[in-house]
Amino acid sequence: MTPENPSAITRPLPSALASVEADILRACVEARRDRASVTLIAVSKTFDAEAITPVIDAGQRVFGENRVQEAKAKWPGLMPAYPGLALHLIGPLQSNKAKEAVALFDAVHSVDRPSICEALAKEINSQKRRLELFVQLNTGEEPQKAGVAPAEADAFIAACREKYGLEISGLMCIPPVDEAPAPHFALTAKIAARNGLNNLSMGMSADFAIAIQFGATHIRVGSAIFGHR
Ligand SMILES: *Cc1c(COP(=O)(O)O)cnc(C)c1O
């Protein structure tokens, strides 16, 4: 009998996490970077509390979700039992979900248009919360993908800061699936540097080692930890 998901059987979750950890460490050594300069965001979207708990028990504290409603259904039940958890929103945000997002998340990686800036600024001020904010770039200029076009990035970042009073912590990108990721990571790093931004959210299961070479400070890793979705 062929198991539907062989990786889930041969690799229980904590050991998949350990293997990702080993790969991060190796990439950091190769890039002459400190392991502490890279935050692993374990992307738990589509996985339930039962799948997430062993990963928390193995020591992981930073998690990523791509939908506000799904995160709201899952995480408030887990948080009281595990102090020190941090939750990052890595998927698109709608203005009408900003209130819930600001209340629940510690970081938003998908800041990419004025309406979101406005909604986030309003909620951050009224809830007196501090969130780490990343501007999402559409480095591949893919029409179906969220994110700011590279040519518009400088002006958008300036507007986030000056018009909306948002403190931007870094840039996020998702390279096109059918292209080598390195040029996209390099472009993201270049735009961040010229805008005085220190954080780079880039690299997923397939390419986080390359992203670390290009300076990623936040890698978003789902399937390599939790198995196939
Ligand atoms: C799902 C997702 C990830 C994780 O992808 P994997 O390939 O499973 O590691 C990272 N970033 C974003 C924005 C995602 O939606």
Side-chain angles (χ1 to χ4, degrees):
M1 199 180 97
T2 312
E4 202 174 303
N5 181 354
S7 69
I9 289 166
T10 55
R11 269 192 184 177
L13 295 174
S15 80
L17 178 66
S19 145
V20 167
E21 255 313 321
D23 290 344
I24 295 170
L25 192 56
R26 188 177 315 117
C28 284
V29 169
E30 278 170 13
R32 298 180 199 281
R33 293 185 54 191
D34 193 339
R35 169 66 186 89
S37 70
V38 180
T39 297
L40 169 62
I41 302 167
V43 177
S44 49
K45 66 185 184 200
T46 78
F47 290 93
D48 61 12
E50 211 179 313
I52 295 169
T53 311
V55 178
I56 304 175
D57 287 334
Q60 179 64 26
R61 286 295 177 272
V62 185
F63 289 84
E65 291 284 345
N66 70 335
R67 294 178 59 231
V68 177
Q69 290 315 111
E70 183 186 339
K72 239 189 117 187
K74 244 155 51 177
W75 285 95
L78 284 164
M79 283 169 157
Y82 299 98
L85 286 176
L87 214 50
H88 289 228
L89 179 64
I90 61 169
L93 175 62
Q94 270 120 42
S95 307
N96 62 2
K97 298 269 168 56
K99 186 175 185 172
E100 294 165 293
V102 167
L104 181 62
F105 289 94
D106 299 286
V108 174
H109 293 240
S110 50
V111 179
D112 71 348
R113 55 194 189 280
S115 59
I116 291 301
C117 293
E118 196 174 337
L120 283 173
K122 177 171 167 270
E123 290 303 330
I124 285 171
N125 290 328
S126 70
Q127 298 185 37
K128 306 217 173 338
R129 292 265 298 155
R130 272 189 81 85
L131 267 78
E132 221 180 332
L133 301 178
F134 294 80
V135 167
Q136 181 174 350
L137 297 183
N138 184 359
T139 55
E141 304 193 54
E142 298 170 276
Q144 81 287 5
K145 209 174 252 178
V148 178
E152 284 152 27
D154 295 354
F156 183 76
I157 294 161
C160 287
R161 290 166 163 164
E162 289 151 26
K163 186 163 181 208
Y164 300 102
L166 293 173
E167 194 179 313
I168 300 298
S169 135
L171 299 181
M172 182 270 229
C173 77
I174 309 172
V177 284
D178 53 355
E179 287 182 27
H184 297 274
F185 296 154
L187 177 60
T188 303
K190 185 175 141 191
I191 295 173
R194 72 173 182 236
N195 285 282
L197 296 169
N198 296 323
N199 290 304
L200 296 169
S201 167
M202 54 192 204
M204 318 199 329
S205 291
D207 55 20
F208 65 81
I210 302 166
I212 288 171
Q213 279 176 31
F214 283 87
T217 59
H218 293 70
I219 57 174
R220 311 177 310 267
V221 180
S223 48
I225 296 171
F226 290 99
H228 294 291
R229 288 182 294 271

